[in-house]
Amino acid sequence: MVRHRFGEFSRQQKVFVILIGIVLVCVGMYAWFGSNKGTKVKVKHARPLVKVQTLVRQDMMRHIDLSGQTVADANIPLAPKYTGRITAVYVDLGDHVTAGQVLLVQDTSDVDISIQQNAASAQAASADAREASATYNANYVKARNNYELEAAKYERNQYLYSIGAISQDTLDSVRQEYETTKAAFEVLENQAAGGTAASVASKQFTAEKQAHATEALEQQRADLVLRAPRDGVIGYRDAEVGAIAQANKQLLSLVDNRHLNVDCTIAESDAAILQTGMQVKVTIDALGRDVPGTIVYVSPAMDSSSKTYQVRIELDTTAVSADAEDTSLGAADLAIKAGLYAHTAIDILQRRNTLYVPKSAVLSKNGKTVVFVVDEEGRTHEREVRIGLMNNESEEILEGLSEGDTVVLNNQDKLGEGTKVEIDTSADADAAKDGDGEA
């Protein structure tokens, strides 16, 4: 009926009714909000929610992660010693070679000719030395005989002169012949003062020089034949028959991966703990396998550029081949190659039966090292502590805490002396606490 009557209203009456309705709605809203204007909102002050850990004495371990790449026992670049044309190449990429095997040959024709020429010169020089020796020996014998003969003649003439049988002029003539033969003999004798006459030794040295020159050419010829310095696999080849090989430019490389290592870098604090001889299990992701290894080297000095220490782990590659039959891969497929990413971890005992807390529990406050503990009533108290050994996760407590104390691990910025806290007993908190217990 109201709808019927509203429909009978004039347009002005309809507008008036609508305006009245709007005014009534506004008045009602004002009254509602005005009545709640002085109402106070009560805020509940919640206690800080903290994670805690109860201290117990246990072994403190240091966890060290090591990662690096596999490194071959040797990766040797091979280059010719002399420039020359390549006449033969006997290996390809991936070929297995043995020590001493011929890999590549350069043209030796020019060196062969030089060797023949020097060999002939050496033989000629040796012949000259023998001739000089024979000539010297003959001249020496002749000079000695002449000297001995003139010495005896001069001695006889001295006697004849003493008895007046010869004149002074005759004696002087004989003496002159004697001195001449004596001088000639002494020249030859003085040449042999060192055991061999100088003229002969000169010829012999010339012959030896020619012989050494021939040996040098023969060594040069040997160097034109490139041989494998050890067993291994050809890992690089840039050599073709007919090409000119430049001296000292790499043509081949020899990789010996019978023994493989993993080179890692570690921080100073870890280097002080790691020792050679430690056994580890190295994971090689590309193979999806663990390989036994032994730490064989820890660098004695820090690298000045990286500020790290180097560690080398020697892999026991025989273990990979030994159980290859237990997988779907063959032994050849499981061969470890150089350059593969590898990683391992090692837990080292730092201290037996000691107290330690997670690093998150330790604070530096006003020059002091402190932690918060929770008493039986759930209130926190600040304790000053003295720190001992440390690692990436935990710090040893030497003084200030006792076994059985409950230590706060987080939200310390909301705590003070006597603050009432709520203990986080969620599964995540328990898991975190368990994880912190294994430093």
Side-chain angles (χ1 to χ4, degrees):
M1 181 178 295
V2 175
R3 184 185 303 174
H4 176 72
R5 290 182 178 180
F6 183 78
E8 294 178 352
F9 288 166
S10 64
R11 182 176 181 182
Q12 292 180 346
Q13 290 176 331
K14 291 180 179 178
V15 172
F16 178 76
V17 171
I18 292 173
L19 290 174
I20 291 174
I22 292 173
V23 171
L24 292 174
V25 171
C26 291
V27 171
M29 292 178 64
Y30 177 78
W32 169 259
F33 287 109
S35 64
N36 292 282
K37 187 174 181 180
T39 303
K40 296 183 179 179
V41 179
K42 296 182 179 180
V43 179
K44 182 179 180 181
H45 296 280
R47 300 174 182 175
L49 184 64
V50 297
K51 298 177 183 178
V52 297
Q53 177 179 322
T54 301
L55 294 187
V56 294
R57 288 192 173 274
Q58 53 187 326
D59 293 343
M60 184 175 180
M61 308 294 292
R62 185 181 187 91
H63 183 81
I64 301 175
D65 291 312
L66 299 172
S67 63
Q69 288 184 317
T70 54
V71 179
D73 197 28
N75 188 351
I76 306 170
L78 302 176
K81 193 174 181 179
Y82 303 99
T83 298
R85 188 176 300 279
I86 300 172
T87 58
V89 182
Y90 296 106
V91 292
D92 283 317
L93 286 175
D95 284 355
H96 290 263
V97 297
T98 57
Q101 180 177 335
V102 176
L103 309 178
L104 177 147
V105 178
Q106 293 175 268
D107 185 11
T108 62
S109 57
D110 292 341
V111 179
D112 290 337
I113 294 174
S114 297
I115 290 174
Q116 293 174 359
Q117 290 176 341
N118 276 270
S121 297
Q123 291 175 355
S126 179
D128 289 344
R130 291 195 300 272
E131 180 183 2
S133 178
T135 300
Y136 170 81
N137 290 333
N139 291 335
Y140 179 82
V141 172
K142 180 180 179 181
R144 184 184 62 186
N145 291 338
N146 289 338
Y147 167 67
E148 291 175 351
L149 179 63
E150 291 298 327
K153 182 179 179 181
Y154 177 60
E155 185 178 355
R156 288 194 305 272
N157 279 270
Q158 280 184 319
Y159 172 73
L160 293 175
Y161 175 76
S162 65
I163 63 176
I166 60 173
S167 64
Q168 181 68 43
D169 290 340
T170 303
L171 179 61
D172 291 342
S173 177
V174 173
R175 183 175 58 200
Q176 185 176 5
E177 288 294 329
Y178 162 72
E179 291 178 350
T180 300
T181 56
K182 179 182 179 181
F185 173 70
E186 287 177 348
V187 167
L188 293 175
E189 189 174 41
N190 290 337
Q191 285 189 25
T196 303
S199 58
V200 177
S202 177
K203 295 291 186 180
Q204 290 177 341
F205 290 148
T206 300
E208 290 179 7
K209 180 179 178 181
Q210 291 295 332
H212 289 319
T214 303
E215 292 175 358
L217 288 171
E218 290 174 345
Q219 182 60 52
Q220 180 178 346
R221 188 188 188 284
D223 290 336
L224 293 175
V225 179
L226 199 59
R227 298 177 181 272
R230 62 194 294 171
D231 295 353
V233 180
I234 300 300
Y236 173 83
R237 171 183 159 166
D238 185 18
E240 298 298 336
V241 174
I244 299 295
Q246 300 296 325
N248 301 319
K249 181 180 179 182
Q250 181 179 354
L251 298 180
L252 303 168
S253 72
L254 180 66
V255 179
D256 185 355
N257 57 3
R258 292 174 300 172
H259 300 91
L260 283 167
N261 309 300
V262 178
D263 286 343
C264 315
T265 55
I266 58 174
E268 176 183 359
S269 56
D270 294 336
I273 298 177
L274 288 182
Q275 296 180 357
T276 57
M278 290 182 172
Q279 304 295 314
V280 294
K281 284 286 186 180
V282 179
T283 300
I284 300 178
D285 293 340
L287 299 179
R289 300 179 63 85
D290 291 338
V291 181
T294 304
I295 296 177
V296 295
Y297 172 75
V298 179
S299 57
M302 176 187 291
D303 184 273
S304 57
S305 58
S306 63
K307 305 299 181 184
T308 58
Y309 289 77
Q310 184 179 11
V311 174
R312 168 161 286 191
I313 302 172
E314 182 179 323
L315 300 180
D316 182 7
T317 53
T318 58
V320 178
S321 302
D323 60 356
E325 59 186 9
D326 297 336
T327 70
S328 59
L329 298 175
D333 299 317
L334 285 173
I336 305 174
K337 297 176 175 60
L340 300 180
Y341 176 73
H343 58 91
T344 186
I346 185 170
D347 292 316
I348 301 175
L349 177 66
Q350 285 187 283
R351 188 95 74 191
R352 290 191 181 277
N353 194 32
T354 188
L355 294 177
Y356 58 90
V357 297
K359 283 191 169 183
S360 60
V362 181
L363 306 175
S364 181
K365 190 174 182 181
N366 298 325
K368 300 179 180 180
T369 303
V370 300
V371 299
F372 280 95
V373 297
V374 181
D375 61 18
E376 296 178 352
E377 297 179 357
R379 296 186 182 277
T380 60
H381 303 280
E382 184 179 299
R383 297 271 188 88
E384 184 177 357
V385 296
R386 185 164 69 91
I387 301 300
L389 295 175
M390 293 186 292
N391 56 41
N392 292 337
E393 298 176 353
S394 306
E395 298 185 17
E396 183 186 20
I397 304 298
L398 298 179
E399 295 179 1
L401 295 178
S402 302
E403 186 173 9
D405 286 343
T406 301
V407 178
V408 178
L409 306 182
N410 66 334
N411 280 340
Q412 291 96 327
D413 56 335
K414 300 177 182 178
L415 306 181
E417 187 66 27
T419 302
K420 193 75 171 178
V421 296
E422 188 77 23
I423 305 300
D424 187 353
T425 58
S426 64
D428 292 339
D430 292 340
K433 186 174 71 173
D434 293 341
D436 290 333
E438 299 176 359

